[in-house]
Amino acid sequence: MSETSSDDRCPIAILISGRGSNMRALIDACAAPDFPARIVMVLSNKPEAAGLDVARAAGLRAEAIDHRAFGKDRAAHERAVDAMLREAGVELVCLAGYMRLLTPFLTESWAGRMLNIHPSLLPAFPGLHTHERALEAGVKLHGCTVHLVTEVMDDGPILGQAAVPVHAGDTPENLAARVLEQEHRLYPAALRRLLRPETSPSAEDGGSLLVV
Ligand code: GRF
């Protein structure tokens, strides 16, 4: 009998710069046979990113294209990233703690096919230090957002959000930990819903504020 490939899972890449805990959550999700994506590579702009070892230990192709080798030429770095993604047959890109400002070259090349996770309830608190800023602002609800990437940083259509309460006495650290736990649930849920809306419930988690 001849072998045929009936793998209709979407080939994705995960782009990281650091520890890669959201990457880990996506790796775990992709291990389920009914998850609609498979990871073809993990790519970092930092060869020393701890997440690369995690990816390799999981048996994944893990690569680095060091942005420092390109000096100030952001576009040249992005061209190298884009070429590697295309050569690997990637169809969708998940940014997961990828700490690079993107130029229109990459955002337009991957328009509608590049996701990001951000640790706030966008449009509140784009940018860095979101947990400190949420505490300073006195918000009572904080959380995380998965959105499609556009040219504007931490902007673009929202695919899902998860909210957590802010407690009296919270520090940026414990608030970050509470949000991160939700990030790990939200990212796979939002990705699944984007790829297979017909098989994903609209509210992924009964009773909690995880909405995709
Ligand atoms: C996460 O908080 C993510 O929302 C933000 O950067 C952090 C990355 O953490 N974009 P990790 O590398 O996924 O652990």
Side-chain angles (χ1 to χ4, degrees), residues 18-23 96-99 116-119 180 183-184:
R19 67 189 165 183
S21 72
N22 278 289
M23 173 204 72
Y98 187 65
M99 303 301 282
N116 182 43
I117 186 156
H118 180 74
L180 191 64
E183 292 184 39
H184 297 161

Side-chain angles (χ1 to χ4, degrees), residues 100-118:
R100 298 287 297 162
L101 286 176
L102 304 183
T103 80
F105 167 71
L106 214 52
T107 58
E108 281 167 18
S109 308
W110 292 89
R113 299 184 300 141
M114 182 179 275
L115 280 59
N116 182 43
I117 186 156
H118 180 74

